[in-house]
Amino acid sequence: MQNIKSASKNFTSNLLTAAIVSSFVATPVFAAEKNKKSDLDDIEMIQVKGQATSGLDRLIGQDELEKLQANDLADIFRLDTSVNVGGSVGMSQKIYLRNVGEDMLHISIDGAEIAEAVFHHAGRVTVEPEILKQVEIEAGTGSAAVGPGALGGAVRLTTKNPIDMLTNGENFGGILKASHFSNGSGNKVSVTAYGADDDRKLSGLVNLVSATNDNFEDGDGNEIVGSGADKMLGYLKGVAYITDGQYLSVSYENLEEEGDILYKPELIPSHKNWISPTQGTRESIIVNYGYDDLSSDLLNFRVTAYQSNQEQTRYYDEYLVEGTVESKGINIQNKSEFSNIYLVYGLNYRRDESALAETPTHEEGKVIGVFAQSIIQVTDALTLSAGSRFDEYELTDWLGQEISDSGFSPNLSASYQLTEKLGISAGFASAMRGPKVKDSYKVGYYSNDPNLKAETATNLEFGLDYQGDNFELGIGRYQSTIKDPIGNMAPWGKVAENLAHDLETEGVYLQFDLNLGNFYLHTDINHATTEFNGDKATRYFHSSTATTMGDNYILDLSYVVNDKLTLGWVTQYVESVAPFEVLVDAGGPYEETLTASKQGYTLHDLYASWQPLDVLKVNLAVKNLLDKTYLSQGSVEDLTHNAGYEIIAGQNAVGRDIRLTVSYDF
């Protein structure tokens, strides 16, 4: 345990260092009063009217995160049917966007890209929802400006800014927040302090979070082994506004989680999957510089430099296993506006290193790309979006093999207003991703085919949008294909190669929002099928690449009783997936056909927000109201009925959980 404990000792000194740096800077958002383009800075993804255009598809705001009292990845994406997150153990949770896994997505936090998971049996993304301001989602391959390697889409998480939190002309403020979770007897305490000078040229934010919970229980009262954990977060953010249009910002984050967690947290306990003292950390520092020429529409650029380090340590029997993935990068972009054209263009560079302490070697990967994305207002009714990026990838694997590839990723989409309220949209986009580093637990053990080449994805979408007086409706269809996916025909394969068959997804969606006075209704429906070589994708066999989910329906109802009290109810229905066959190790020595299925389930959540005083707020949420016992379709499928697979299944999801949060603003 010595190495595990030593990581915690560095927390205080690193936090102090970042605090000193951050004390000289403040947040750029303060310029909303002076900067005519500030609204564009709040949302980073390209925005084009029409669901099927390249760009932002879904924005999850802070209000949504708070009302459900988001505590993990699954909570963050609770109201979006296009996103599936399974796993009752925090470290086991993986993101699937339209059934395409997080390994095929471009994921970033405040511009810092999370390029690779540390361990293939754990998730790639670790984040504390407490510090999030919003989450932007682009489903499917789309905009060139989003970054390299977005084969299945992109997820961009943005943290809070101090100026957003200051109100009524205040210069300083803070929030004390305490939460209790009935399932697992969990407790979370957070302290947030923020401030700015009179001119709003200097501001800063400090956020400290401590959370702990015992093992959860499923709906039948059975313990979910290894789900208990202790978490600690230290987060600082600040920016100095040098002039009205020029800023420099710095943010620092250190998130630690430890507990007695299963060695392979995504699977049930077994004689091959035992409890292991485990610690995971993510540390990042991000520097942003921006300049907006307020006298010109041609110059509005931003430079983001970052370093992000993820580490996981656990014991394999009595042996300590320590894996690390480090990413360093720089993103440069400029926005130019002409009479009828909005143009974003720039450069991305990232260097990744993946290493396992137990092996005397590591892997290094690099990608450099240039991009341009435009929005063209052809007529009052017709809007076009067109762009492309060129990326070059280089990989030096742990065996010394040097593998490289490069290519273009173009896109074209259009939105046309048939009437003032009715619009149609269509889009085509492609993306390529060259060979990259493996997760650290494979370094020294898993090799690459020397002829490895880039994966390529195409995405075709059609959509219809209707804007009523008090409602909005969006429906559409999408079809994506990922060619030459990198992987192996069996989960235990140890050679990464381009597979002979494509990963194909097709689906339809419907979104409906209605506002009637104090009443709000949101409906979200998604149907998608994802197949590889004619078989449905499964999390166990395709890991972080893809999975299958039944038709997903969400209904969110809320009612504002008065300016003090809001009530809400969320229900989700996930349709079962009928028994299907999966061919394993096709053409290999262990070829066999297994059967799998996925149970359906219906879940209900209640939530209430009460603000008896301006400075006091109480949130209550009841998750899984009816205490349903089920296996999330985002978890590893139950394959235990197949001979030789008796230990392959995910653990049941968490049963009823009553969450109470009290926050005090000062």
Side-chain angles (χ1 to χ4, degrees):
M1 289 293 291
Q2 183 176 358
N3 287 355
I4 291 180
K5 295 295 185 183
S6 64
S8 297
K9 296 178 181 178
N10 294 328
F11 177 81
T12 303
S13 61
N14 290 339
L15 195 60
L16 179 60
T17 301
I20 295 171
V21 174
S22 295
S23 65
F24 292 97
V25 294
T27 176
V29 179
F30 101 90
E33 299 174 357
K34 301 179 180 180
N35 186 346
K36 55 186 169 57
K37 301 186 182 76
S38 62
D39 290 342
L40 297 175
D41 294 332
D42 248 5
I43 298 175
E44 286 299 323
M45 288 186 176
I46 292 288
Q47 298 180 80
V48 188
K49 187 174 179 61
Q51 292 276 353
T53 54
S54 297
L56 180 68
D57 290 305
R58 176 85 157 88
L59 179 67
I60 301 173
Q62 191 173 332
D63 289 343
E64 186 173 310
L65 297 172
E66 288 183 353
K67 76 179 183 180
L68 294 176
Q69 298 187 58
N71 196 45
D72 57 17
L73 281 177
D75 291 337
I76 291 173
F77 300 101
R78 176 72 174 89
L79 299 180
D80 191 337
T81 59
S82 69
V83 183
N84 186 11
V85 178
S88 49
V89 178
M91 281 191 180
S92 73
Q93 293 185 335
K94 297 181 180 181
I95 300 173
Y96 295 89
L97 179 54
R98 291 181 177 174
N99 289 351
V100 177
E102 59 186 33
D103 188 51
M104 298 289 186
L105 307 178
H106 179 96
I107 302 176
S108 65
I109 300 178
D110 283 345
E113 298 173 30
I114 304 174
E116 182 57 82
V118 178
F119 185 28
H120 46 282
H121 285 293
R124 173 176 162 195
V125 183
T126 302
V127 66
E128 169 51 56
E130 180 67 25
I131 65 171
L132 291 180
K133 174 184 177 182
Q134 62 190 29
V135 180
E136 299 165 60
I137 300 171
E138 180 169 351
T141 303
S143 169
V146 78
L151 300 177
V155 177
R156 185 191 298 268
L157 301 99
T158 303
T159 57
K160 297 175 181 177
N161 285 305
I163 295 300
D164 296 333
M165 308 178 78
L166 287 169
T167 58
N168 302 323
E170 299 171 328
N171 285 353
F172 298 96
I175 301 174
L176 298 176
K177 186 180 291 186
S179 303
H180 178 73
F181 309 92
S182 65
N183 201 322
S185 299
N187 294 290
K188 179 190 289 187
V189 178
S190 70
V191 179
T192 306
Y194 44 87
D197 65 350
D198 291 337
D199 295 328
R200 296 296 196 260
K201 290 185 178 295
L202 297 172
S203 66
L205 179 150
V206 178
N207 194 195
L208 303 175
V209 181
S210 176
T212 182
N213 66 270
D214 299 329
N215 283 343
F216 300 123
E217 294 181 351
D218 66 14
D220 291 332
N222 299 313
E223 187 177 38
I224 301 173
V225 179
S227 56
D230 298 326
K231 298 179 183 179
M232 183 168 66
L233 167 75
Y235 173 73
L236 302 103
K237 190 172 191 177
V239 177
Y241 234 88
I242 304 167
T243 65
D244 288 350
Q246 187 177 191
Y247 68 85
L248 174 68
S249 78
V250 176
S251 64
Y252 170 82
E253 181 185 4
N254 186 307
L255 177 63
E256 297 184 359
E257 178 178 2
E258 64 179 2
D260 291 330
I261 299 170
L262 291 169
Y263 184 80
K264 300 175 182 178
E266 66 176 340
L267 298 175
I268 58 176
S270 69
H271 64 284
K272 290 188 176 180
N273 191 28
W274 50 87
I275 285 292
S276 170
T278 303
Q279 183 180 61
T281 65
R282 183 173 63 82
E283 184 178 33
S284 63
I285 185 165
I286 304 164
V287 179
N288 278 286
Y289 172 76
Y291 178 77
D292 182 4
D293 185 348
L294 302 181
S295 64
S296 171
D297 291 330
L298 301 181
L299 186 60
N300 181 7
F301 74 86
R302 174 181 296 182
V303 180
T304 301
Y306 63 88
Q307 176 175 318
S308 179
N309 186 79
Q310 295 193 90
E311 180 178 326
Q312 288 185 22
T313 56
R314 49 175 54 85
Y315 280 89
Y316 187 82
D317 288 332
E318 71 274 18
Y319 302 104
L320 183 66
V321 184
E322 182 178 354
T324 304
V325 173
E326 182 182 72
S327 294
K328 299 178 181 179
I330 185 168
N331 299 316
I332 303 172
Q333 73 170 31
N334 187 57
K335 302 174 184 178
S336 297
E337 295 181 54
F338 304 91
S339 59
N340 64 334
I341 299 176
Y342 176 72
L343 182 64
V344 181
Y345 49 96
L347 175 147
N348 308 119
Y349 171 79
R350 191 185 74 238
R351 175 185 174 275
D352 307 314
E353 182 175 329
S354 181
L356 193 65
E358 290 63 50
T359 59
T361 187
H362 65 280
E363 292 193 342
E364 289 188 11
K366 299 178 183 178
V367 56
I368 185 169
V370 293
F371 66 89
Q373 186 72 39
S374 65
I375 301 173
I376 306 170
Q377 194 69 47
V378 181
T379 68
D380 290 341
L382 177 63
T383 303
L384 296 179
S385 177
S388 184
R389 61 178 300 117
F390 177 82
D391 294 303
E392 183 174 40
Y393 287 80
E394 296 180 2
L395 170 67
T396 302
D397 69 14
W398 65 275
L399 291 171
Q401 295 185 108
E402 296 185 356
I403 307 171
S404 62
D405 208 342
S406 60
F408 287 93
S409 303
N411 68 78
L412 176 65
S413 60
S415 173
Y416 187 79
Q417 288 298 119
L418 295 171
T419 69
E420 183 180 349
K421 296 183 178 182
L422 178 63
I424 58 173
S425 53
F428 170 82
S430 66
M432 64 82 64
R433 186 179 70 180
K436 63 185 183 69
V437 298
K438 293 183 285 293
D439 76 73
S440 62
Y441 277 53
K442 291 183 177 180
V443 174
Y445 301 102
Y446 292 66
S447 61
N448 293 309
D449 181 343
N451 298 313
L452 207 59
K453 61 181 180 180
E455 306 162 282
T456 58
T458 57
N459 185 51
L460 182 64
E461 294 196 38
F462 299 94
L464 181 149
D465 301 271
Y466 188 85
Q467 179 82 47
D469 293 335
N470 57 1
F471 71 91
E472 297 180 15
L473 172 68
I475 59 176
R477 186 181 188 279
Y478 54 89
Q479 182 175 340
S480 70
T481 302
I482 299 177
K483 295 182 178 293
D484 302 314
I486 296 175
N488 37 66
M489 290 302 295
W492 53 83
K494 293 184 181 293
V495 179
E497 57 186 338
N498 292 107
L499 304 179
H501 303 282
D502 300 338
L503 183 68
E504 299 177 314
T505 300
E506 60 180 30
V508 295
Y509 62 82
L510 182 149
Q511 295 177 355
F512 178 76
D513 290 271
L514 172 68
N515 283 282
L516 290 175
N518 293 345
F519 175 78
Y520 168 74
L521 178 149
H522 168 73
T523 299
D524 197 348
I525 301 172
N526 188 67
H527 161 82
T529 59
T530 302
E531 294 184 346
F532 176 79
N533 193 21
D535 289 339
K536 285 183 170 61
T538 59
R539 172 162 168 171
Y540 178 66
F541 293 106
H542 302 99
S543 189
S544 301
T545 299
T547 192
T548 289
M549 187 171 187
D551 292 353
N552 192 0
Y553 304 81
I554 284 179
L555 177 65
D556 177 17
L557 300 173
S558 65
Y559 181 72
V560 180
V561 180
N562 52 48
D563 59 356
K564 303 290 186 182
L565 179 64
T566 300
L567 304 176
W569 167 56
V570 176
T571 185
Q572 178 183 26
Y573 170 66
V574 180
E575 194 171 81
S576 63
V577 180
F580 57 94
E581 294 184 341
V582 180
L583 180 63
V584 183
D585 196 29
Y590 303 103
E591 179 178 327
E592 62 178 319
T593 300
L594 307 180
T595 60
S597 63
K598 295 194 174 190
Q599 71 170 113
Y601 43 86
T602 301
L603 305 175
H604 300 276
D605 298 342
L606 298 179
Y607 60 87
S609 177
W610 179 45
Q611 192 163 3
L613 303 172
D614 290 342
V615 296
L616 183 65
K617 189 173 184 179
V618 180
N619 282 352
L620 175 67
V622 183
K623 309 280 291 183
N624 193 357
L625 174 67
L626 302 183
D627 214 11
K628 176 73 174 179
T629 298
Y630 68 102
L631 177 63
S632 168
Q633 291 193 7
S635 298
V636 174
E637 302 76 12
D638 186 352
L639 300 175
T640 57
H641 57 281
N642 295 278
Y645 290 81
E646 292 82 3
I647 62 174
I648 304 302
Q651 295 196 77
N652 283 338
V654 179
R656 182 188 298 117
D657 186 14
I658 302 173
R659 303 179 178 182
L660 178 65
T661 297
V662 179
S663 61
Y664 175 75
D665 289 15
F666 61 89

